[in-house]
Amino acid sequence: MERLVILGGGESGVGTALLGKNKGFEVFVSDKGTIKEKYKQVLIHNDIEWEESNHTESKILNADLIMKSPGIPDKAPLVKQIRAMGIPVVSEIEFASNFTEATIIGITGSNGKTTTATLTHHILKQELNVGLAGNIGDSFAKQILEKDYENYVLEISSFQLDDIVDFKPHIAVITNITPDHLDRYDYKFENYIASKFRITQNQTKKDYLIYDADDEVINEWLKNNSIHSTLLPFSLTKIIENGAYLENNNIKITIDNNQIIMPTTNLALEGKHNIKNAMAASTVAHLLNIRKQTIRESLENFQGVEHRLEHVLKINKVQYINDSKATNVNATYYALESMETPTVWIVGGQDKGNNYEELFSFVNEKVKAIICLGVDNEKLLNTFGNIVDIIVETQFMSEAVKIAYKIAESGDTVLLSPACASFDLFENYEDRGRQFKAAVRNL
């Protein structure tokens, strides 16, 4: 019996454990931290051996196969040891994909992947049997075990792509590539770019890559590297023969001379970046023969993603917007770009080597006050201190919202778009977003 050892007892780890046990592996789950109670109960209930707050090497280094959680870096001494011994290490996406015949749509990118994946699933589920997994919702492995959909939309992070071997999506989407997570890639942008493009490494001519043709980083990589996939670019500025482009507020999508036209006037999501997300999702749907009417209706009634430019409340004619999912500068760029009123901007957290310069023009034009919410706000104060009249700092969400309430006037917007990771003050970006919403509701 093959021994499968799983490092990390979170959603992907426990899902893999269940699928592994079902497929006849001898399974052991090891987590250096503590395992959440709900996951512990699942492991106990299914007679799966586990440990927490520790990695027992003797129980790990005898594995035939190791699935490591995307959160564990390759630099970890245990991972180095495992690799030195030649034990194969895979991600959940790689492991699970061996046990399904489903058509897979894999979506990656620095920003927009959650919105694009959720929107794509929203359109496809009107006509197809389809699951949504990966970096989102129930794990891919668990869904294969319990539901085994005929199609899957997977939101895939670069960390998940780092440990694939044979994984091959029939349709791959790269929304964009901007510097992010560089701490995991030796601070080399090219390593991060290569990681994103791993999504195409096993694709053939019969498979597709949908990508943003306005993204210089993607174009440059495609020019210098050969891939086998059939390319379907999308663009806001160029005319695209095979793929999608924007003309007079209409999205035009052409695949093998079959063209559909979608008006953007009633799109549920605002902002240029969301036109791109809509193009990517609609191109997938058109490829899979979803009816034009269905695509159009789905684009118009899509509710959006929690913590992504989420309109919370309007109080005294001030709109409060939760964009806690903006954990890098590029995401905040999109948020500020879509602001149409004077903005009180709440920013800050754990900096991943951010360069804020690309935000200067928006801050000059739209931001009337900045509230820095982080343990260390020095970089923000130095960067923006001379650009805005009001800049204050706090370590508490409730206080940040109260300060914003005092500063904002009728017709203004209060925007939480941190451009940083949340781990200095919060459990994760969801926790940060929920605290913001609770604080706004308590005003």
Side-chain angles (χ1 to χ4, degrees), residues 315-316 320 371 400-409 414 443:
I315 302 173
N316 298 342
Y320 290 79
I371 299 166
V401 169
K402 280 181 190 143
I403 297 167
Y405 177 75
K406 285 197 182 108
I407 297 171
E409 300 163 297
V414 173
L443 284 170

Side-chain angles (χ1 to χ4, degrees), residues 367-379:
V367 174
K368 64 189 280 184
I370 291 178
I371 299 166
C372 306
L373 176 65
V375 170
D376 178 7
N377 299 308
E378 196 180 344
K379 186 165 161 189

Side-chain angles (χ1 to χ4, degrees), residues 297-320:
E297 285 168 8
S298 303
L299 292 176
E300 290 173 4
N301 64 29
F302 179 62
Q303 289 301 310
V305 173
E306 193 185 6
H307 313 298
R308 173 60 87 210
L309 286 175
E310 177 190 6
H311 287 232
V312 182
L313 276 182
K314 212 172 208 176
I315 302 173
N316 298 342
K317 297 192 175 154
V318 173
Q319 178 69 59
Y320 290 79

